[in-house]
């Protein structure tokens, strides 16, 4: 209808556009030109305000979406790629941390059997180490949370001893017995003890499985140990850390001990502080068998050099190992006769870190106790002029002055240990006056009789 009317109006000769044709409602009289002139700027101003509001809202929305995209990208994990050790490592740690049976530890161990470059091997070994620590921490946490198991009623077979390899289901029915009612368990064993069972405690549910590092085998330990023969030091360091992680599992300790001689060889032939720390941490976590004592004698000078280095972590680990070896009668003389630097007593300065000072004082106490033992005093020993014995217990030693300064050390454990060493040296003085084939000990502290 509007089209026909518009055509009719055009045919009448009027060329003036109609307000309706322009999309404007003819609400104003055509004669009011002044009002028309003032409404246009107002209309344009309103349009500018609307555009500004719309642009501001659009910009805020864009910034929010960009933030969400960046946050999602950071949290997003890359897809699992069998050929990429980084992907395997990241997914393994993430899944094992959440307690899911992902089997990534097994996949990581299997990936070591394939040909990999040095970087890939280091990444895989590092991931295995983290997985072992996380899994063992999870097992310990579950055991601590589990309440103590109750003793089984007399005459009944305890379920925890029968659960291995069998299926247990509960029909949630009550079974009468003396003292109350218990749940009746149905055990699918294919024979054996029958009758009412006591419910299995939560602690018995912690069994070796895919989520436990103890489910690994001795072949896995041998595979990790073979990485010690790699040329790259980073691979050796990560292999040592992995063996250290497995050493927390008792059943693997004997297998890891087979690599003790190789570890001692690496420590004594390669001067790398990180390798020293990793190797010494492993040795300190294992009971060293007697058959490695000859190798320990050969590496004693290297251990003493590590002790006198400037790397605190390696020094602490070295002194701990030496303190342990000082308790072995057949190694005590080798330690005391080992050559040291002329400034060895600087290790007893109060400016040293408290952790190192404490370990050095423990080492001195054990050496003092060892040389006073009847077994050691039965032989007359001869020491080198620059030996550890002369630095600590010789006539020219200034150990007493260092100990007296440590009695007022800010750390309490250092004070206590310094007093223990002083007492041990006083006992050594008393022992020295008795008939003995060994050389009398020098008096470090003036007694009241000499004043």
């Amino acid at each position: 209808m509007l089209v026909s009317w518009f055509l009719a109006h055009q045919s009448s000769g009027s060329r003036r556009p109609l307000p309706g044709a322009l999309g404007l409602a003819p609400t104003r009289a055509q004669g009011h030109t002044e009002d028309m002139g003032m409404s246009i700027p107002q209309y344009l101003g309103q349009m500018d305000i609307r555009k500004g509001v719309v642009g501001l809202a659009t910009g805020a929305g864009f910034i929010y979406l960009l933030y969400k995209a960046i946050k999602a990208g950071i949290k997003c994990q890359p897809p699992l790629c069998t050929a990429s050790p980084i992907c395997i490592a990241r997914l393994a740690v993430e899944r094992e941390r959440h307690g899911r049976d992902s089997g990534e530890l097994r996949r990581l161990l299997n990936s070591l059997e394939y040909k990999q470059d040095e970087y890939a091997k280091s990444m895989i070994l590092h991931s295995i180490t983290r997985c072992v620590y996380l899994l063992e921490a999870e097992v310990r946490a579950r055991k601590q949370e589990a309440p103590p198991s109750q003793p089984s009623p007399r005459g009944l077979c305890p379920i925890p001893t029968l659960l291995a390899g069998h299926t247990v289901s509960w029909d949630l029915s009550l079974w009468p017995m003396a003292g109350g009612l218990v749940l009746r368990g149905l055990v699918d064993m294919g024979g054996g003890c029958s009758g009412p069972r006591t419910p299995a405690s939560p602690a018995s549910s912690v069994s070796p499985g895919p989520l436990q590092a103890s489910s690994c085998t001795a072949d896995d330990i041998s595979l990790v140990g073979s990485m010690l023969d790699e040329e790259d030091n980073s691979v050796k360091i990560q292999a040592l850390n992995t063996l250290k992680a497995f050493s927390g599992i008792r059943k693997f300790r004997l297998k890891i001990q087979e690599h003790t001689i190789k570890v001692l060889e690496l420590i004594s032939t390669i001067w790398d502080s990180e390798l020293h720390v990793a190797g010494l941490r492993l040795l300190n976590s294992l009971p060293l068998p007697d058959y490695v004592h000859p190798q320990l004698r050969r590496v004693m000078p290297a251990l003493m050099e590590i002790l006198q280095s400037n790397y605190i972590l390696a020094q602490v680990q070295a002194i701990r190992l030496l303190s342990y070896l000082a308790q072995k009668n057949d190694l005590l003389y080798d330690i005391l006769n080992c050559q040291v630097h002329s400034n060895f007593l600087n290790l007893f300065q109060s400016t040293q870190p408290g952790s190192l000072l404490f370990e050095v004082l423990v080492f001195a106490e054990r050496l003092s106790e060892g040389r006073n033992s009847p077994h050691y005093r039965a032989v007359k020993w001869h020491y080198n002029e620059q030996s550890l014995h002369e630095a600590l217990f010789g006539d020219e030693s200034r150990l007493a002055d260092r100990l007296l300064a440590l009695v007022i050390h800010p750390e309490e454990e250092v004070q206590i240990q310094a007093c223990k060493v002083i007492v041990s040296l006083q006992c050594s003085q008393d022992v020295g006056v008795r008939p003995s084939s060994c050389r009398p000990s020098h008096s470090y502290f003036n007694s009241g009789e000499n004043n």
Side-chain angles (χ1 to χ4, degrees):
M1 180 179 296
L2 288 174
V3 175
S4 60
W5 180 83
F6 179 78
L7 293 176
H9 185 76
Q10 288 290 93
S11 62
S12 64
S14 176
R15 301 301 180 184
R16 186 175 58 186
L18 297 175
L22 295 175
L24 299 174
T27 57
R28 295 179 179 268
Q30 296 180 4
H32 299 279
T33 57
E34 294 82 7
D35 296 338
M36 287 287 295
M38 295 182 64
S39 62
I40 290 176
Q42 294 177 358
Y43 179 76
L44 294 177
Q46 293 178 0
M47 290 294 293
D48 292 338
I49 293 175
R50 292 176 182 175
K51 289 181 180 179
V53 173
V54 173
L56 181 61
T58 304
F62 174 78
I63 294 175
Y64 176 76
L65 293 176
L66 181 62
Y67 163 75
K68 295 289 290 185
I70 295 176
K71 184 177 180 181
I74 294 176
K75 290 186 176 180
C76 179
Q77 297 290 344
L80 180 63
C81 179
T82 305
S84 174
I86 301 177
C87 296
I88 298 176
R90 186 175 299 170
L91 189 59
V93 173
E94 188 68 22
R95 289 186 175 180
E96 301 296 354
R97 185 178 62 179
H98 288 85
R100 286 180 282 180
D101 184 4
S102 61
E104 297 300 336
L105 179 58
R106 172 51 51 194
R107 293 187 61 178
L108 288 167
L109 288 168
N110 292 339
S111 64
L112 281 179
E113 300 178 357
Y114 301 101
K115 187 176 181 180
Q116 306 276 3
D117 57 12
E118 285 77 7
Y119 175 74
K121 290 178 181 178
S122 298
M123 286 296 300
I124 293 173
L125 289 169
H126 177 71
S127 304
I128 293 174
T129 303
R130 292 195 61 184
C131 283
V132 172
Y133 280 127
L134 289 172
L135 293 176
E136 288 303 298
E138 177 68 19
V139 171
R140 288 193 296 269
R142 288 159 57 190
K143 288 182 178 180
Q144 291 176 358
E145 293 175 359
S149 57
Q150 300 294 332
S152 302
R154 187 175 183 180
L156 300 180
C157 297
I159 281 185
T161 61
L162 305 174
L163 290 181
H166 306 296
T167 303
V168 181
S169 60
W170 299 98
D171 60 0
L172 301 180
S173 60
L174 296 177
W175 189 272
M177 61 179 297
L181 302 174
V182 297
L183 290 174
R184 181 174 60 185
L186 303 178
V187 183
D188 183 13
M189 300 178 57
C193 177
S194 61
R197 314 289 184 194
T198 56
S201 64
S204 63
S205 62
V206 182
S207 58
L211 282 179
Q212 291 194 21
S214 59
S215 61
C216 297
T217 63
D219 293 336
D220 298 326
I221 304 300
S222 300
L223 177 62
V224 175
S226 66
M227 297 293 107
L228 298 176
D229 297 324
E230 295 289 329
E231 296 182 0
D232 190 74
N233 284 346
S234 63
V235 178
K236 296 176 183 177
I237 292 171
Q238 296 301 332
L240 291 169
N241 292 334
T242 304
L243 292 175
K244 171 63 172 62
F246 277 112
S247 67
I249 304 174
R250 182 173 301 178
K251 75 173 190 176
F252 293 139
R253 290 179 182 174
L254 290 177
K255 188 65 178 178
I256 297 175
Q257 282 181 355
E258 299 177 3
H259 304 282
T260 301
I261 295 180
K262 178 64 178 180
V263 175
L264 291 171
E265 178 184 347
L266 293 176
I267 293 174
S268 60
T269 57
I270 301 177
W271 191 258
D272 186 293
S273 299
E274 293 185 2
L275 187 143
H276 291 163
V277 173
L280 291 170
R281 287 179 67 245
L282 175 60
L283 294 176
N284 286 327
S285 66
L286 297 172
L288 300 180
D290 293 341
Y291 66 82
V292 300
H293 284 190
Q295 182 68 15
L296 286 169
R297 291 189 181 93
R298 287 191 289 269
V299 303
M300 204 70 70
L303 293 176
M304 204 63 65
E305 286 295 328
I306 296 174
L307 173 59
Q308 299 172 92
S309 65
N310 294 324
Y311 195 65
I312 301 299
L313 295 178
Q315 288 178 288
V316 171
Q317 296 299 326
I319 198 66
R320 287 178 180 174
L321 179 60
L322 289 171
S323 296
Y324 169 76
L325 299 179
Q327 301 176 84
K328 306 292 184 181
N329 291 329
D330 57 334
L331 295 177
L332 180 59
Y333 173 75
D334 298 276
I335 297 175
L336 288 172
N337 197 42
C338 192
Q339 185 173 351
V340 297
H341 299 166
S342 58
N343 60 347
F344 180 82
L345 290 182
N346 289 345
L347 293 173
F348 293 85
Q349 287 183 346
S350 58
T351 55
Q352 297 286 357
S355 58
L356 178 61
L357 268 178
F358 176 78
E359 297 295 341
V360 170
L361 290 171
V362 171
F363 180 49
E365 181 188 12
R366 291 181 178 176
L367 289 177
S368 178
E369 292 176 349
R371 64 191 287 268
N372 294 333
S373 64
H375 178 271
Y376 194 79
R377 293 174 56 243
V379 180
K380 184 176 182 179
W381 304 99
H382 298 278
Y383 305 97
N384 298 323
E385 293 182 359
Q386 297 180 348
S387 64
L388 176 63
H389 179 274
E390 294 301 312
L392 295 179
F393 311 113
D395 295 339
E396 304 297 330
S397 176
R398 306 296 300 175
L399 178 61
D401 298 335
R402 302 296 171 89
L403 293 176
L404 292 176
L406 293 179
V407 172
I408 57 174
H409 193 271
E411 298 187 23
E412 183 179 359
E413 64 175 4
V414 175
Q415 297 177 12
I416 296 175
Q417 192 59 42
C419 293
K420 289 182 178 180
V421 178
I422 293 174
V423 172
S424 178
L425 293 177
Q426 289 287 65
C427 293
S428 174
Q429 174 186 349
D430 297 338
V431 172
V433 299
R434 299 175 184 175
S436 174
S437 58
C438 67
R439 183 174 58 184
S441 300
H442 174 67
S443 177
Y444 295 90
F445 304 94
N446 293 329
S447 60
E449 297 176 357
N450 297 330
N451 294 336

